[in-house]
Amino acid sequence: VADSCPCGSGNPYADCCGPFHDGLPAPTALLLMRARYSAYALGRADYVRRTWHPSTRPPDLRPDDVTWRRLQIVDTARGEADETEGVVEFRASYRTAEGAGLLHERSRFTRIAGEWAYVDGELLAD
Ligand SMILES: [Zn+2]
């Protein structure tokens, strides 16, 4: 489907990660994770920056030359709408000029001022 969301939900972008990119707070850590992946895939560096915890956010976030291909959620812990901490483990496949790659990460999320933010992640060997 041409307008299907990059996060792979199977839903149209406008009914999936699009509203989060436009300012709607993601209700769970998992939905924030998916929306951040979609933002990377679409080059929405503004959303990546906005949803990165200020304490760990890189000072300079530039678009990279990575083409994100597919997101697979491996595991989630906490991160529900009534919680303040959450973990999402995922595998994301991508392609660069050097070839195909796979990012396998266990990401930590926390809620600040009511909104989920990405804190950091542990890279896992695949
Ligand atoms: Zn989505």
Side-chain angles (χ1 to χ4, degrees):
V1 183
D3 66 348
S4 66
C5 192
C7 80
S9 65
N11 298 318
Y13 171 71
D15 297 332
C16 189
C17 297
F20 303 137
H21 294 173
D22 290 340
L24 185 75
T28 67
L30 176 58
L31 288 171
L32 184 82
M33 164 64 224
R34 301 188 79 97
R36 280 175 55 83
Y37 172 85
S38 291
Y40 275 108
L42 296 170
R44 290 286 304 259
D46 61 319
Y47 187 78
V48 172
R49 185 180 303 112
R50 178 153 57 85
T51 56
W52 206 312
H53 197 281
S55 69
T56 53
R57 183 168 49 206
D60 188 17
L61 268 175
R62 277 171 302 189
D64 48 33
D65 62 351
V66 175
T67 301
W68 294 96
R69 304 294 297 272
R70 182 168 169 268
L71 173 67
Q72 178 198 1
I73 303 298
V74 177
D75 185 33
T76 63
R78 303 178 304 281
E80 296 300 322
D82 59 347
E83 296 178 295
T84 56
E85 304 283 337
V87 171
V88 180
E89 182 180 335
F90 66 92
R91 287 194 184 92
S93 50
Y94 61 86
R95 185 172 292 280
T96 69
E98 286 78 47
L102 182 72
L103 174 66
H104 184 185
E105 181 180 312
R106 201 166 167 87
S107 301
R108 287 199 305 135
F109 297 87
T110 191
R111 205 196 278 266
I112 41 173
E115 298 202 21
W116 286 105
Y118 171 77
V119 180
D120 58 19
E122 175 192 0
L123 292 178
L124 302 172
D126 205 66

